[in-house]
């Protein structure tokens, strides 16, 4: 397991690394926690973990990914491009690679439309079920994100649900889930 936090002065929020605690949401931020069942078994876990750690899930979502490395690692800069127009600069703040848990989180940098942190973690429970959990806290940083209010948060929830659907298709034979 890697526990490393880049310099917090580079981020647009104070609680760098806080998505490790799924119940934590700093005052003034909005929480997000979406858990999606992907399937069952070691193969599903392995494929899902690789898809998350290598940006494959995000690319399959149709967002642009410009990453400073082929694999998520603390300190790697990532720019997510939405609709070909909105650039969202981030930096990976932590990663985890364990026998039953794998994933990472990024924190927002200056220029991101939101301010906060988001994690993508695949875990395999004791009964063999494989899950993706998208955990985040955020608030609008740019005027249009703030103006969107509840609609912006609705889009974030829809994005998190879509992550689960896309990852299920990538991780299961035939893309149908188990």
């Amino acid at each position: 397991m890697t526990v490393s936090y880049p310099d917090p002065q580079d981020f647009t929020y104070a609680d760098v690394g806080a998505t490790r605690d799924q119940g934590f949401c700093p005052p003034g931020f909005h929480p997000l926690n979406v858990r999606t069942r992907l399937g069952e078994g070691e193969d599903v876990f392995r494929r899902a973990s690789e898809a998350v750690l290598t940006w494959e899930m995000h690319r399959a979502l149709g967002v642009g990914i410009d990453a400073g490395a082929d694999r998520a690692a603390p300190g790697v800069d990532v720019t997510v491009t939405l609709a070909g127009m909105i650039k969202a600069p981030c930096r990976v703040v932590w990663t985890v690679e364990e026998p039953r848990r794998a994933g990472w989180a990024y924190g927002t940098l200056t220029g991101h439309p939101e301010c906060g942190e988001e994690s993508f973690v695949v875990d395999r429970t004791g009964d063999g079920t494989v899950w993706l959990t998208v955990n985040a806290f955020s608030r609008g940083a740019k005027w249009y994100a703030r103006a969107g209010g509840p609609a912006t948060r609705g889009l974030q929830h829809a994005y998190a649900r879509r992550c689960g659907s896309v990852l299920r298709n990538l991780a299961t034979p035939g893309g149908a889930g188990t």
Side-chain angles (χ1 to χ4, degrees):
M1 170 173 43
T2 303
V3 179
S4 176
Y5 303 107
D7 186 348
Q9 294 178 359
D10 294 339
F11 295 92
T12 60
Y13 63 104
D15 295 293
V16 175
T19 52
R20 279 196 177 276
D21 177 3
Q22 289 188 10
F24 179 77
C25 182
F29 286 79
H30 301 283
L32 177 137
N33 189 285
V34 175
R35 189 170 188 227
T36 305
R37 183 183 182 280
L38 303 177
E40 295 178 2
E42 179 62 30
D43 287 343
V44 171
F45 172 76
R46 184 181 40 76
R47 284 191 295 268
S49 296
E50 278 302 298
V52 167
L53 290 166
T54 62
W55 325 112
E56 182 183 2
M57 177 188 74
H58 284 81
R59 287 190 174 103
L61 284 162
V63 299
I65 294 288
D66 181 15
D70 292 336
R71 190 173 188 81
V76 170
D77 285 342
V78 182
T79 299
V80 179
T81 304
L82 306 168
M85 300 178 351
I86 299 172
K87 303 259 186 215
C90 313
R91 184 168 295 142
V92 176
V93 296
W94 60 261
T95 60
V96 60
E97 289 190 65
E98 299 172 347
R100 298 181 81 86
R101 191 167 178 256
W104 57 275
Y106 65 68
T108 58
L109 301 174
T110 301
H112 195 293
E114 293 285 318
C115 171
E117 191 169 294
E118 186 168 28
S119 66
F120 306 89
V121 177
V122 176
D123 68 280
R124 186 168 167 228
T125 59
D127 68 356
T129 305
V130 181
W131 298 88
L132 170 68
T133 302
V134 179
N135 183 44
F137 56 85
S138 64
R139 64 179 176 212
K142 296 214 176 208
W143 71 267
Y144 53 86
R146 290 190 304 271
T152 299
R153 289 188 294 283
L155 290 172
Q156 290 171 324
H157 277 84
Y159 179 82
R161 287 190 302 275
R162 179 107 173 95
C163 285
S165 175
V166 165
L167 188 57
R168 181 185 309 116
N169 288 337
L170 291 170
T172 56
T178 55

